[in-house]
Amino acid sequence: MQANLLVFDVGSTYTKLTAFRLEQGDLEFVARSQAPTTITDIEIGIVNARQALVQSGVQVPDDAKVFSTSSAAGGLRMVALGYMPRVTAKAAKEVAMSAGARVLEIVSHEDLPEYRLEVLREIKPDIVLLAGGTDGGDQQSLIENAHIIVQSEIKAVIIIAGNKEAQSQVAGIFTDHNVPYIRVPNVMPTIHELKVKPAREAIHEQFIKQITQAKGLNKLLDIVSNKKVTPTPGAVLLGAELLAKGTFLEDGVGDVIIIDIGGATTDIHSVMPDLEKLTIEEKGLIVNNEKQPSYRTVEGNLGLRVSATGIVETIGPLGVLAKIGYNSEEVAEQLVAYTEFLEKNPGHISQSPVEKQFDLALAISAIEVALKRHAGYIAQDFNPVMGIMPGTPVGRDLRRVKYVIAVGGIFTHGTLADKQFILAEAFKNPGISLLPLKPQFIIDEQYLLYALGALGSQYTDLCGKFAKKYFKINLKGNEHETN
C-alpha cells in the first residue's frame, strides 16, 4: 500500500506517525507507526517512526506531503497580567487553549505591584499576555503593568492585548526599553465578548519559534509541507470542530465531547456548534460564560503515568479502587506504590493483571473528575447575588451532547471490553453534573483525530467526509457505538 500524506505527532515520550493515501479526491487511512522520542535529538524519533512505517510494508514516495503536530517542547510558559482577576483568568485560558502555551500564573490589579514583579522574576515566562480594560475602559492597569514588566527584566515576548486606547503608549514603553512585543486587538473589547484568535495566533507563532530550538525539530520544520507545526492538543480540538461543525460540502454531526487522556494530563474538549447562534447578551458576562462553541479544559495533575499520583491525591486511593470494586487498605497501599513507580518510570507498560486493573481504575477516575470539572452543574443553593435558584443549570450544559469520542494511549491499545468499561463507569454517576444523558461512545482506536486536525486546514472537505466515515457517524441516526 502506498501513502502520500504523512502526519507526525512528536510527543515527549513517543513520536507517532499516521499515513494516509489521497487519490482521486478521496482520503484513505493506510497505517500508523511510532518510535520513542529521543530528547537529545528529536530527529531520531522522526526517522525511526518513518522507518517503522516502511518496514510494515507501506511505500512512501519522495513527493509525499508531510504535516506535523508536537507536544515535545512542553508548551510556552505564560503569565497573564490583567485588571480583573476572573476576567483575566478567563481570557488567558481561552487564548492558551490551542496555541501551545501553559498558563502558570494569573495576576491582576488586586495583587500588589511588588507581588506582580516577584511572580515575573520567579517564573521567568517565555510569554506574557498583557490584558486589561475593555475598549474605552480602564487604561491605567495596562500602563502600570507595562512598567512592572520593564522593571522585571525578564526575557519574554509580550502580547499586548488590552484596551486599544492604551496600547500605543504601552508599545512606546516597551520600545524605549528594548522589550519585544506583539500588538493584537483587545481580547475583551466588551464585558460580553472575547476575541482571542489574534492573540492565540501570535502565541502559536512563538510556539513554532520555540520548537525550532528543540534538538531536531528545526529539521522537522524543513520537511513539513505547510511550514507549520501545530500544538497537539490544538490539533485534537481542530479535528473535533471539523467533525462537529462540518465544512462547506460536508454537514457536521453536531455536539461532541472529546476525552483525551494521556500520561500527564486529561483533556476534555466539547464542541457545540449551535452556541454560535447565540447573541452576545445570551452568552452572558465573560466571567461566567461557558457558552462558547468550542471549550477545552486541561487537568494537569490527572494522567496515567507522570501524573498518576495526582489522581490518587484527588479522590483518595480507596476512591480510585472503588471504580473497580475493591475496598482494601492493603490493595490501596499497593496502588499508591504503583502510582509512585509510574511517576518515576512514565514509559512503563502494565504487565500483571493487578497493574492492568489499577490502570483501568486510574483512567475511570481521571476521566470522571475531568468531565465533572468541565461540565456545569445543577445549583443546590440559592445565590441572591447571581440570582440563581436551586435546580438552576449553571455552567456548560452537556446534557444534549450525543457523541463522546475517546482518544489516548489506553484507547489505542487494550481490549475493546476494557475501553467500553472505562467509558461506561466514568459516566455512570453524573450526580449534579450536566453530563450527556444518553452518550454514544466512539473510540478513536487509530488515534486519527489529531491528524485530521493537522490536515484540516488544507483538506477541509476531505477530512470532514473522512471523519464521519471513520467514526461511523451519519446524519440519519445509524451510529456505530464503538469501533
Side-chain angles (χ1 to χ4, degrees):
M1 176 69 77
Q2 188 180 82
N4 55 10
L5 282 180
L6 304 180
V7 188
F8 287 95
D9 172 25
V10 182
S12 299
T13 306
Y14 287 98
T15 296
K16 281 80 71 177
L17 174 57
T18 304
F20 296 90
R21 184 157 97 159
L22 175 59
E23 187 173 347
Q24 297 180 345
D26 196 26
L27 189 65
E28 179 184 0
F29 168 68
V30 176
R32 68 183 301 274
S33 64
Q34 67 179 39
T37 299
T38 305
I39 299 300
T40 53
D41 187 351
I42 293 173
E43 187 186 16
I44 295 173
I46 296 168
V47 171
N48 288 343
R50 183 161 180 159
Q51 286 180 345
L53 184 73
V54 173
Q55 289 170 359
S56 71
V58 177
Q59 298 177 350
V60 181
D62 293 338
D63 60 350
K65 292 187 176 181
V66 179
F67 299 81
S68 184
T69 70
S70 176
S71 56
L76 295 167
R77 297 161 53 84
M78 188 171 96
V79 168
L81 297 177
Y83 182 59
M84 297 175 64
R86 290 179 65 193
V87 173
T88 304
K90 185 73 176 176
K93 183 171 68 173
E94 293 301 312
V95 166
M97 184 166 64
S98 59
R102 293 177 294 135
V103 182
L104 298 183
E105 190 62 73
I106 295 165
V107 291
S108 71
H109 83 290
E110 294 184 2
D111 298 302
L112 292 174
E114 294 83 1
Y115 175 77
R116 291 177 241 168
L117 181 63
E118 181 184 352
V119 165
L120 291 172
R121 286 178 171 171
E122 286 191 1
I123 292 180
K124 297 181 176 61
D126 302 303
I127 200 154
V128 173
L129 178 69
L130 182 55
T134 56
D135 289 341
D138 172 76
Q139 297 186 31
Q140 189 55 40
S141 67
L142 203 70
I143 295 168
E144 180 181 78
N145 282 331
H147 285 296
I148 291 173
I149 290 170
V150 169
Q151 186 181 354
S152 73
E153 298 182 340
I154 57 173
K155 305 298 181 183
V157 176
I158 317 301
I159 307 296
I160 306 175
N163 187 339
K164 66 180 182 181
E165 280 82 6
Q167 285 200 14
S168 179
Q169 184 176 345
V170 168
I173 294 170
F174 291 146
T175 299
D176 291 344
H177 293 85
N178 297 315
V179 175
Y181 68 86
I182 301 170
R183 285 181 65 177
V184 300
N186 194 347
V187 293
M188 195 190 75
T190 74
I191 60 173
H192 293 288
E193 180 177 25
L194 279 175
K195 290 189 174 179
V196 299
K197 187 175 180 181
R200 192 179 287 169
E201 290 176 346
I203 293 174
H204 185 207
E205 289 178 6
Q206 297 304 310
F207 173 82
I208 292 176
K209 289 181 180 178
Q210 183 203 42
I211 64 174
T212 60
Q213 298 171 10
K215 293 182 179 181
L217 273 180
N218 57 329
K219 299 175 183 177
L220 176 61
L221 271 181
D222 290 337
I223 65 172
V224 291
S225 301
N226 58 352
K227 303 303 177 186
K228 179 180 178 181
V229 177
T230 305
T232 304
V236 172
L237 180 59
L238 290 172
E241 289 179 334
L242 194 69
L243 180 64
K245 297 180 179 180
T247 69
F248 181 73
L249 295 179
E250 293 290 332
D251 291 332
V253 302
D255 301 346
V256 300
I257 292 173
I258 309 297
I259 298 169
D260 187 356
I261 182 168
T265 69
T266 299
D267 301 359
I268 307 293
H269 312 254
S270 58
V271 183
M272 306 173 74
D274 283 348
L275 294 180
E276 292 182 334
K277 301 173 185 177
L278 298 180
T279 65
I280 288 177
E281 290 75 20
E282 286 174 322
K283 290 180 180 178
L285 298 177
I286 291 301
V287 292
N288 58 5
N289 171 22
E290 307 296 351
K291 295 181 180 177
Q292 57 266 46
S294 299
Y295 184 55
R296 171 181 168 233
T297 51
V298 179
E299 303 302 332
N301 67 329
L302 304 178
L304 296 184
R305 289 299 178 263
V306 296
S307 303
T309 56
I311 302 173
V312 173
E313 290 166 359
T314 300
I315 66 172
L318 290 176
V320 174
L321 291 175
K323 306 301 181 186
I324 53 173
Y326 284 77
N327 184 19
S328 164
E329 291 289 350
E330 182 180 349
V331 179
E333 292 178 3
Q334 294 176 20
L335 173 66
V336 171
Y338 179 60
T339 57
E340 291 173 349
F341 171 79
L342 292 177
E343 189 173 294
K344 298 175 183 177
N345 301 274
H348 176 72
I349 298 174
S350 54
Q351 302 294 327
S352 69
V354 172
E355 288 185 347
K356 292 178 181 179
Q357 285 294 302
F358 283 167
D359 280 354
L360 290 180
L362 290 167
I364 295 166
S365 303
I367 292 171
E368 181 179 350
V369 171
L371 281 169
K372 290 180 176 178
R373 289 178 178 175
H374 181 92
Y377 60 93
I378 299 294
Q380 303 297 293
D381 303 306
F382 175 60
N383 186 326
V385 177
M386 301 299 293
I388 296 173
M389 300 290 291
T392 303
V394 179
R396 194 161 181 83
D397 192 344
L398 305 174
R399 287 176 292 182
R400 295 185 180 180
V401 175
K402 189 171 186 178
Y403 302 113
V404 175
I405 300 176
V407 181
I410 200 163
F411 293 113
T412 302
H413 310 288
T415 67
L416 179 58
D418 283 347
K419 299 169 189 176
Q420 292 173 328
F421 175 72
I422 290 169
L423 293 172
E425 290 298 308
F427 281 81
K428 186 176 181 179
N429 299 303
I432 62 172
S433 298
L434 300 175
L435 294 177
L437 299 177
K438 295 182 180 180
Q440 191 89 41
F441 297 137
I442 300 168
I443 298 169
D444 184 3
E445 290 188 317
Q446 297 294 343
Y447 187 48
L448 298 190
L449 198 59
Y450 89 93
L452 295 176
L455 293 173
S457 60
Q458 188 157 338
Y459 303 101
T460 308
D461 292 314
L462 284 174
C463 288
K465 179 181 178 182
F466 176 90
K468 286 195 293 186
K469 180 181 177 182
Y470 169 68
F471 292 117
K472 296 181 175 65
I473 298 175
N474 60 47
L475 302 182
K476 297 179 181 179
N478 296 321
E479 297 87 14
H480 183 79
E481 292 198 7
T482 53
N483 282 350

